[in-house]
Amino acid sequence: MPQIGQGTLKGMGITLKHLLSKKITRQYPEYKRQMPERSRGMLTVDMDRCIACLQCMRICPDHCISIDQTKRDFDGSGKPKPFAVGFMIDDSRCMYCSLCVEVCPVNCIYHTEEFEVQAYSRLELARQFGERPVDPTVDPKPQVKKKRPVRGGSKGKAAAKKKAAGKEEEAA
Ligand code: SF4
Ligand code: SF4
């Protein structure tokens, strides 16, 4: 029995010591640490610089990016250029691989330091940019046109051109 009493006293002593000592932990979210320089937070896109090339949408392995593309004649030259009327990034799918950032030719899609994201449903995690919202339930990948590979590489391309030229001659 005396041993039990000693143990209790020892434990209370340790508790008291830590109660009065200076705290070495900081409470989140009251305290937020500064993110490292190259950290990857949630993505954002500068729509003023986006040229609607669709490269980020094509390369994304998780089908997070969906772009509603149209053509607009910005400068009145009579030559309409691609324009992203809607742009969606689905945070519920993003794995922060940064492939979209690397592929963007005008550096208009980039990571922020923001990493806190909460929602009651998965669809609320689809962030919309641009003038018109994009339907987050539609998988963007099947809509992206892919070039069909030519069999046989460059030799195959040359053969295909020759074949096409031959057909034109026959028709003439
Ligand atoms: S960081 Fe990766 S997963 Fe996220 S949108 Fe870009 S390409 Fe897709
Ligand atoms: S790669 Fe860049 S410029 Fe092209 S559509 Fe994506 S964000 Fe816009």
Side-chain angles (χ1 to χ4, degrees):
M1 282 300 283
Q3 278 183 348
I4 294 171
Q6 276 177 13
T8 308
L9 279 175
K10 195 177 173 184
M12 290 300 287
I14 292 169
T15 306
L16 204 64
K17 189 178 154 196
H18 284 277
L19 202 68
L20 300 172
S21 63
K22 195 182 169 190
K23 286 180 188 170
I24 55 166
T25 53
R26 289 169 175 170
Q27 295 296 315
Y28 177 84
E30 285 79 29
Y31 172 81
K32 288 180 186 173
R33 66 181 271 234
Q34 198 176 354
M35 298 303 289
E37 200 179 319
R38 296 181 67 190
S39 60
R40 295 177 185 178
M42 288 158 70
L43 289 163
T44 192
V45 59
D46 182 351
M47 292 303 290
D48 292 336
R49 288 193 288 135
C50 176
I51 55 171
C53 66
L54 307 186
Q55 289 197 58
C56 53
M57 181 167 148
R58 286 196 178 104
I59 206 164
C60 177
D62 286 351
H63 306 200
C64 316
I65 299 175
S66 195
I67 301 169
D68 185 359
Q69 191 204 50
T70 184
K71 284 199 170 182
R72 274 193 191 167
D73 186 5
F74 300 104
D75 47 8
S77 62
K79 291 178 184 170
K81 294 189 180 86
F83 177 76
V85 71
F87 198 114
M88 184 207 72
I89 302 172
D90 190 347
D91 282 322
S92 69
R93 297 174 179 216
C94 183
M95 60 175 178
Y96 303 91
C97 67
S98 217
L99 284 174
C100 54
V101 176
E102 283 173 32
V103 82
C104 181
V106 291
N107 301 324
C108 69
I109 186 164
Y110 53 91
H111 291 282
T112 62
E113 288 188 355
E114 193 56 59
F115 59 89
E116 295 168 310
V117 55
Q118 312 87 24
Y120 288 105
S121 80
R122 194 184 70 76
L123 293 180
E124 285 176 34
L125 294 171
R127 284 180 298 124
Q128 301 283 351
F129 303 84
E131 298 170 7
R132 200 159 64 203
V134 182
D135 186 353
T137 60
V138 178
D139 186 346
K141 273 297 164 84
Q143 296 173 22
V144 179
K145 287 178 196 162
K146 279 186 183 167
K147 283 182 186 171
R148 287 175 64 187
V150 179
R151 282 185 190 172
S154 57
K155 280 184 185 173
K157 273 185 191 173
K161 272 186 186 174
K162 206 174 171 183
K163 200 176 169 184
K167 276 187 183 174
E168 277 174 18
E169 276 175 21
E170 275 176 28

